[in-house]
Amino acid sequence: MRSDRRCLIKAGFLVLSLGAAQIARGANMLAVRIWPAADYSRVTLESDAPIQSTQTFIASPPRLAVDIQGMQLNAALRELVGKVQASDPNIAGIRVGQFSANVVRLVIDLKHPIAPQVFSLQPVAPYAHRLVLDLYPSQAIDPLEQLIQERTAAKIPSAVDNLPGASAAVNDPLGDLIARQTQPGASALPLPAPTTRRPDLSRSEGPFMDNPSRPGKTPEPPRTDRLIVVTLDPGHGGEDPGAIGPGGTREKDVVLKIAKMLSERINASSVGGSPMRAFLTRDADFFVPLHVRVQKARRVQSDLFVSIHADAFYTPRPQGASVFALSQGGATSAAARWMAQKENKADDIGGVNLGGQDAQVQHALLDMSTAAQIKDSLSLGNSLLREIGSVGKLHKPRVEQAGFAVLKAPDIPSVLVETAFISNPEEEEKLRSEAYQKQLTDALLRGILQYFSRNPPLARNRSI
């Protein structure tokens, strides 16, 4: 009798165990997020277990149906409906429901045809398992065309004309092109004609600072016949918040604000009579993979690349700004090596679809560093470091070097600026101060203009 009871108890435990295991295998949705941007809109589903799904894209009207297996509709999934913003460039709305006993269906209504990329991410940093839906417009945005559109909306010529000491008539070839394109019957945007004219170096006799914040007469720099483009790269974004200060300040937010302020200052400046334009790798809160940041800068044929970040350390003591350039060999210090390793993990946290990339092309792009690029980058870094040191503390008195993936454009002088240690409470407060942000952006602009005074931009095939 006792033996029978024991068998029944064991059988009961076995049934309960199997039931618990079956429940454990089902995924429970923890959080949902939407990151809208002109480049692409991302929908992230975070679960306590790997998410199995199938997707179907319907062309007319454009929508993406996603069936999630082993899932029950819960409060987190229902939140998706209300998270869609009317200003989202790609998503018109989201519908969600229990399609069958064990399948939740999402239907993402789209504003235009898209090329979806759907991939899974393993747990990393604060995140559990993630299913990522990247919704790219079928008609990809051209960064140079985007730059022209931003320039048109901002009406930059009047700002340049009003600068003290600026020429009454600024030679703006990009503005002339826009005027031609907006005339009735204008054809599509033509490719710029190549030019072989080089700057007249004999006309440069000293530092050039086309900047109202520095008084005094400045020698006329060599003239160029093209647009001068500076790519500003606000670090992190979207799923990747970057470092978080003790007061809750997120690196991705403060560096975006600084980049936008610096962009306005650059757009109101010129080099040798040629207008300057800033190009942002991201202008909102969305994630951009490291190699895409490099690709964007190259597509607009940037003259400089400045990546903007805010340091963090595991203790609150370190302070001061730093400037980094690429290293073909080892890092110049253990701290520089640690910093590069930390920044290079952005792709893991932000979420990159490795299956959608040509790994050979990606690695080739990030390995094409050249000695000439590094030499110019060090020159740019020294100019920036001198000016940053005039408005705040420096962590190191020299430009450091390490293997930062985002600095590996072979033909663009590239630096990474760590504006301050956001992990230091005092410096976090400074980074949140609009007064300090203005001082910092003015210093960065002076450094950029100082670099051009010593390294006049060569004529390139972006001339119009």
Side-chain angles (χ1 to χ4, degrees), residues 399-419:
V399 179
E400 295 251 65
Q401 292 180 261
F404 291 88
V406 78
L407 300 182
K408 293 188 177 182
D411 48 358
I412 306 172
S414 304
V415 296
L416 185 145
V417 178
E418 294 282 5
T419 54

Side-chain angles (χ1 to χ4, degrees), residues 99-405:
F99 180 68
S100 66
N102 216 30
V103 175
V104 169
R105 170 167 289 184
L106 307 180
V107 178
I108 304 175
D109 296 311
L110 301 158
K111 293 183 177 179
H112 49 73
I114 55 105
Q117 292 187 16
V118 182
F119 56 98
S120 297
L121 296 171
Q122 295 298 313
V124 63
Y127 296 119
H129 297 272
R130 285 176 289 172
L131 178 68
V132 178
L133 313 172
D134 281 349
L135 310 174
Y136 288 89
S138 296
Q139 188 68 31
I141 295 175
D142 186 300
L144 186 56
E145 185 176 346
Q146 182 182 14
L147 191 66
I148 293 173
Q149 291 173 351
E150 291 172 358
R151 185 317 190 151
T152 306
K155 299 181 181 179
I156 295 303
S158 60
V160 177
D161 292 342
N162 292 332
L163 281 174
S167 170
V170 177
N171 175 28
D172 190 348
L174 183 58
D176 295 340
L177 175 62
I178 294 170
R180 292 198 300 270
Q181 291 298 312
T182 54
Q183 290 176 356
S187 59
L189 181 69
L191 291 174
T195 180
T196 56
R197 192 172 81 80
R198 297 179 65 83
D200 182 2
L201 299 181
S202 65
R203 299 182 64 180
S204 179
E205 299 176 356
F208 167 59
M209 298 293 290
D210 188 8
N211 184 347
S213 62
R214 283 291 181 89
K217 186 177 181 181
T218 55
E220 184 181 1
R223 292 186 62 85
T224 60
D225 59 355
R226 64 170 177 85
L227 191 70
I228 310 301
V229 176
V230 178
T231 291
L232 302 178
D233 175 50
H236 310 282
E239 291 286 286
D240 177 18
I244 300 177
T249 307
R250 299 183 301 185
E251 180 181 5
K252 67 173 183 177
D253 297 330
V254 71
V255 298
L256 178 60
K257 187 172 182 181
I258 291 171
K260 286 184 173 181
M261 291 178 67
L262 181 55
S263 173
E264 292 176 359
R265 300 286 285 123
I266 289 173
N267 289 343
S269 303
S270 62
V271 172
S274 290
M276 295 178 68
R277 296 292 178 267
F279 173 74
L280 294 170
T281 58
R282 70 176 181 94
D283 57 4
D285 187 12
F286 64 98
F287 178 70
V288 182
L290 297 176
H291 74 282
V292 174
R293 297 170 189 261
V294 178
Q295 288 175 343
K296 284 187 169 189
R298 299 191 76 204
R299 287 189 66 185
V300 296
Q301 300 180 40
S302 294
D303 296 282
L304 298 179
F305 179 93
V306 181
S307 192
I308 303 173
H309 292 255
D311 272 338
F313 204 63
Y314 50 81
T315 68
R317 292 190 303 274
Q319 59 182 329
S322 306
V323 178
F324 296 87
L326 187 65
S327 171
Q328 282 185 311
T332 51
S333 70
R337 184 183 308 108
W338 181 85
M339 190 63 63
Q341 290 172 347
K342 181 174 73 71
E343 298 295 357
N344 289 347
K345 289 181 179 177
D347 280 355
D348 295 335
I349 299 171
V352 174
N353 181 15
L354 297 178
Q357 303 293 336
D358 186 327
Q360 290 184 338
V361 172
Q362 181 175 334
H363 288 124
L365 173 65
L366 297 182
D367 284 337
M368 291 191 298
S369 56
T370 66
Q373 185 260 28
I374 292 175
K375 180 181 177 182
D376 288 341
S377 300
L378 289 171
S379 177
L380 170 61
N382 283 321
S383 295
L384 293 172
L385 203 63
R386 280 192 297 269
E387 294 300 327
I388 295 172
S390 69
V391 301
K393 294 181 180 179
L394 296 178
H395 184 61
K396 289 287 181 68
R398 65 181 184 279
V399 179
E400 295 251 65
Q401 292 180 261
F404 291 88

